[in-house]
Amino acid sequence: MSATVAEVNAVIERLWPLSGAEAWDAPGFLVGEPEASVTSIHLAVDAVAESIDEAIELGADLLLVHHPLLLRGVTTVAEDRYKGAMIGRLIRGGCALVAAHTNADVVERGTSGVLASLLGLTELAPIVSAADPQQGIGRVGVLDEPTSLGQLARRLAELLPLTATGVRVAGDYNQPVRRVALCGGAGDSLLSEPAVQGADVYITSDLRHHPASESRANSAIAGGPALVDVSHWASEWLWLETAAAQLREELPEVTVTVSELRTDPWDFAIVQ
Ligand SMILES: [Zn+2]
């Protein structure tokens, strides 16, 4: 028994409706033949050579990724550049490609929702709500027991897959934290949201110097969260297992596997 690419894509769109995607985003069905049959699906954060080769070697008929391969305008799929080369590999390997990006961030068990529940946060609410109050970007919640910023960062380091950059923290190791805001992936655009400003700590990725520095300087004057910066890839990789479980439930005849390849772009760091 198998499903078709179109049928799997319909399940993906039911689990992570495209209506939930941000206007700038380009998730959905990216490569493949709708009528081709699917007996196995592979999941990865990024559609890069390593994860595409892995999917094809495993015999996967469909690769579901978090990051859309064709986000900005593409005028060629010649294989002398990354995107054309990836599309060529997928087509020759008989593997379709579908992305669930911001449409998989907003749902209750999306990237931020999964990270929040793994940390044991309760009373969860989105940082920025969508029309459905359970849905939206980022999550804020509380820890049952207050802990220190340092202990929370250690817990995160244990939860997340290994990366070169680890977990970086702005704040005092011993300061108490209970209310936690977080956003899987790049979340510096949420720094000034009231739900983030009202939290003891904000966990996200890709925090650049100026937004982080200004947030800390403002916090020193007016109060605000400590900051925890984790690997973008790692924060979103945690979601894949939940997504795989949802797909297995919807498509019991299809084999679903999760890539354990580290596609974080950073390979090593020198700690001074
Ligand atoms: Zn991302």
Side-chain angles (χ1 to χ4, degrees), residues 155-168:
R155 201 186 299 174
L156 256 177
E158 281 167 18
L159 268 174
L160 293 165
L162 286 181
T163 55
T165 46
V167 175
R168 297 187 299 171

Side-chain angles (χ1 to χ4, degrees), residues 66-67 101 185 232 236:
H66 185 51
H67 292 142
H101 192 210
H232 185 133
E236 297 179 328

Side-chain angles (χ1 to χ4, degrees), residues 118-121 141-159 169 171-181 199-203 226 228:
L118 288 170
L119 276 174
L121 301 183
V142 292
L143 293 162
D144 286 340
E145 294 286 326
T147 186
S148 68
L149 178 60
Q151 286 303 327
L152 179 71
R154 284 192 183 281
R155 201 186 299 174
L156 256 177
E158 281 167 18
L159 268 174
V169 185
D172 186 67
Y173 189 98
N174 291 312
Q175 77 184 77
V177 289
R178 176 131 202 248
R179 177 166 285 277
V180 179
D200 299 317
V201 56
Y202 180 45
I203 303 165
V228 177

Side-chain angles (χ1 to χ4, degrees), residues 223-244:
L227 301 176
V228 177
D229 185 89
V230 301
S231 147
H232 185 133
W233 165 81
S235 72
E236 297 179 328
W237 182 83
L238 292 176
W239 165 75
L240 298 181
E241 204 46 69
T242 298

Side-chain angles (χ1 to χ4, degrees), residues 54-69:
E54 182 183 57
I56 293 169
E57 272 162 36
L58 284 168
D61 308 297
L62 189 146
L63 175 64
L64 174 67
V65 290
H66 185 51
H67 292 142
L69 181 62

Side-chain angles (χ1 to χ4, degrees), residues 1-161:
M1 275 270 290
S2 66
T4 65
V5 166
E7 285 164 356
V8 173
N9 189 46
V11 167
I12 290 171
E13 288 192 10
R14 197 161 64 237
L15 289 171
W16 306 290
L18 290 174
S19 57
E22 299 277 329
W24 51 262
D25 202 5
F29 182 28
L30 299 173
V31 176
E33 199 190 324
E35 292 314 312
S37 83
V38 177
T39 56
S40 78
I41 302 172
H42 196 51
L43 270 65
V45 173
D46 298 292
V48 291
E50 293 84 351
S51 48
I52 288 170
D53 287 349
E54 182 183 57
I56 293 169
E57 272 162 36
L58 284 168
D61 308 297
L62 189 146
L63 175 64
L64 174 67
V65 290
H66 185 51
H67 292 142
L69 181 62
L70 304 174
L71 191 55
R72 307 198 199 290
V74 172
T75 53
T76 166
V77 288
E79 296 191 35
D80 57 351
R81 304 282 302 190
Y82 160 56
K83 295 190 180 182
M86 296 305 105
I87 290 167
R89 261 184 225 208
L90 285 161
I91 292 171
R92 281 192 297 278
C95 186
L97 180 69
V98 180
H101 192 210
T102 52
N103 49 319
D105 290 331
V106 297
V107 296
E108 209 173 339
R109 287 198 284 165
T111 46
S112 296
V114 166
L115 181 56
S117 56
L118 288 170
L119 276 174
L121 301 183
T122 55
E123 300 169 37
L124 284 177
I127 291 174
V128 180
S129 293
D132 174 343
Q134 291 309 307
Q135 299 205 353
I137 298 289
R139 291 292 181 276
V140 60
V142 292
L143 293 162
D144 286 340
E145 294 286 326
T147 186
S148 68
L149 178 60
Q151 286 303 327
L152 179 71
R154 284 192 183 281
R155 201 186 299 174
L156 256 177
E158 281 167 18
L159 268 174
L160 293 165

